Amino acid sequence: MKTTAVGSILALLLWTGLALANEISVTQSLDKNEVAYDGTAQLQVTLTWNGSQFAYLFDKPLNPVTDRLKIREFSTSLSTSGSGADEVTTKIFRFTLVPTSAGIGKIQPI
């Protein structure tokens, strides 16, 4: 029992230290605020951080929580600019959303 607790505390401290050392900036945008029932909307979530693309591991894509909307298509891209201490990485998630019923659709913040 003590080993598990110590391992969990060490993992938490390591994760906290990494999170404080390298912050991720998150922005979200939606291309329109009204969508016809047979239309689509484009949601884009952009993550940016200082450092290598290997600084963070995303083992699965982001999964926005929506109400009255569903994800029809999904794509992602990754780019890095600069080098060394000036290296900046940007990961972009793009979602095509379609309405599932009439009314006000909602997208929860990531």
Side-chain angles (χ1 to χ4, degrees):
M1 186 71 114
K2 289 182 182 180
T3 304
T4 304
V6 170
S8 297
I9 291 170
L10 288 175
L12 179 61
L13 290 174
L14 178 62
W15 179 81
T16 303
L18 290 175
L20 293 175
N22 199 5
E23 295 180 2
I24 294 180
S25 167
V26 179
T27 60
Q28 299 178 99
S29 64
L30 190 61
D31 71 338
K32 56 184 84 166
N33 59 7
E34 290 186 22
V35 180
Y37 187 71
D38 59 348
T40 63
Q42 303 298 314
L43 171 66
Q44 179 172 303
V45 179
T46 303
L47 308 177
T48 305
W49 63 89
N50 293 326
S52 162
Q53 62 182 329
F54 303 109
Y56 292 97
L57 173 64
F58 299 93
D59 58 348
K60 58 184 176 180
L62 295 179
N63 189 15
V65 176
T66 62
D67 180 36
R68 297 182 188 220
L69 298 163
K70 71 176 181 177
I71 298 170
R72 185 173 76 186
E73 296 174 10
F74 164 77
S75 67
T76 185
S77 63
L78 181 68
S79 64
T80 302
S81 61
S83 62
D86 296 327
E87 190 170 19
V88 176
T89 301
T90 302
K91 184 162 184 83
I92 299 174
F93 296 88
R94 290 179 189 88
F95 303 91
T96 300
L97 304 173
V98 294
T100 57
S101 64
I104 297 175
K106 295 181 184 177
I107 305 167
Q108 299 297 323
I110 300 283

